[in-house]
Amino acid sequence: MKSAIFDLDGVIVDTAKFHYLAWKEIAQKFNYKLTQVQNEKLKGISRKDSLSLLLKWSGNNLSNNEFNNLLADKNDLYLDQIKNLTKKDSLPGINKTLNYLKKAGIKIALGSASKNSKIVLKKLSLINFFDVIIDGNDVLNSKPNPEVFIKGAQALGVPCCDCIVFEDSIAGVKAAKAAMMDAIGICNLKQNLKPTIFNIKSFLAIEPNNLLKYFMKNE
Ligand code: B16
Ligand code: MG
């Protein structure tokens, strides 16, 4: 049986909109208007790398101190946005899918760039599904670097090629491929993430028992 590695934002919960709102407010501090199209490029990458991109786009330079202060401000804004998150906020179909995979004996890991992943999973009451949690606190390199997924496989005690990643971002699918893992894209079907298995719009689009065949090893 293969193992499953889930991304968080955009796969388990729609916190992407809260990241966007928080980054928009940070960008306004230096009179820059962050667009939704640009925000797509911030999905799946670390807080630090997101701010560096924002500064590049807006042509701004900051001292280390100012940079770190803005990172802290962004996180405060984000934490405020997610303070009322509850288990009703998990994305449609994800509970049923996690339940099914767990009962089928599939090991489950989280592979997220977020440093807030445990807070979010607790708020959603989903943390107990995960055998392993690897997030932004555990890695030096953010997606598309495969570090987060490689560490996930190591912590699960399985080879990388025996993991299937669920991802909503371009950076995340690239990271899965670089880790030699198969990937299923969760996205608006207009934006093909080019995963190795297929794209689905949401977990409602596939019955969990139809996912099972991908987890069978063909040896
Ligand atoms: P934090 P994922 C990523 O999570 C988000 O997609 C990305 O927008 C965010 O900047 C990053 O986490 C860091 O999050 O500020 O909470 O540490 O998609 O990899 O689960
Ligand atoms: Mg994501």
Side-chain angles (χ1 to χ4, degrees), residues 6-13 15-16 43-45 111-113 143 166-170 172 186:
F6 286 83
D7 173 52
L8 180 66
D9 295 325
V11 171
I12 293 176
V13 59
T15 35
K43 283 188 180 173
I45 68 169
S112 163
K143 301 165 188 175
F166 294 89
E167 255 295 344
D168 73 310
S169 71
I170 297 165
I186 315 295

Side-chain angles (χ1 to χ4, degrees), residues 7-9 19 42 44-45 47 50 112-116 143:
D7 173 52
L8 180 66
D9 295 325
H19 282 297
L42 302 183
I45 68 169
R47 201 180 308 163
S50 302
S112 163
S114 175
K115 292 188 170 179
N116 296 299
K143 301 165 188 175

Side-chain angles (χ1 to χ4, degrees), residues 119-219:
I119 303 175
V120 172
L121 287 178
K122 279 185 195 153
K123 282 180 179 288
L124 300 174
S125 305
L126 293 178
I127 197 153
N128 292 332
F129 282 111
F130 293 86
D131 300 294
V132 156
I133 292 178
I134 304 291
D135 70 10
N137 298 296
D138 306 302
V139 295
L140 291 174
N141 305 294
S142 79
K143 301 165 188 175
N145 187 292
E147 187 181 356
V148 71
F149 294 140
I150 292 173
K151 286 203 165 147
Q154 280 167 349
L156 287 171
V158 299
C160 283
C161 59
D162 283 347
C163 293
I164 299 179
V165 170
F166 294 89
E167 255 295 344
D168 73 310
S169 71
I170 297 165
V173 168
K174 282 187 182 161
K177 286 180 178 171
M180 308 299 285
M181 296 177 180
D182 273 323
I184 293 177
I186 315 295
C187 67
N188 167 343
L189 298 178
K190 273 187 240 151
Q191 180 216 17
N192 186 345
L193 295 174
K194 303 203 177 88
T196 53
I197 301 183
F198 50 61
N199 280 298
I200 45 174
K201 210 170 167 189
S202 88
F203 285 99
L204 292 181
I206 185 155
E207 273 302 316
N209 59 326
N210 290 332
L211 272 178
L212 207 56
K213 64 172 180 274
Y214 299 100
F215 285 89
M216 303 291 183
K217 286 206 245 173
N218 30 12
E219 281 151 2

Side-chain angles (χ1 to χ4, degrees), residues 13-31:
V13 59
D14 184 16
T15 35
K17 62 183 176 219
F18 301 129
H19 282 297
Y20 179 43
L21 287 173
W23 281 128
K24 254 186 17 186
E25 209 165 319
I26 293 296
Q28 269 162 17
K29 290 192 187 208
F30 37 89
N31 290 324

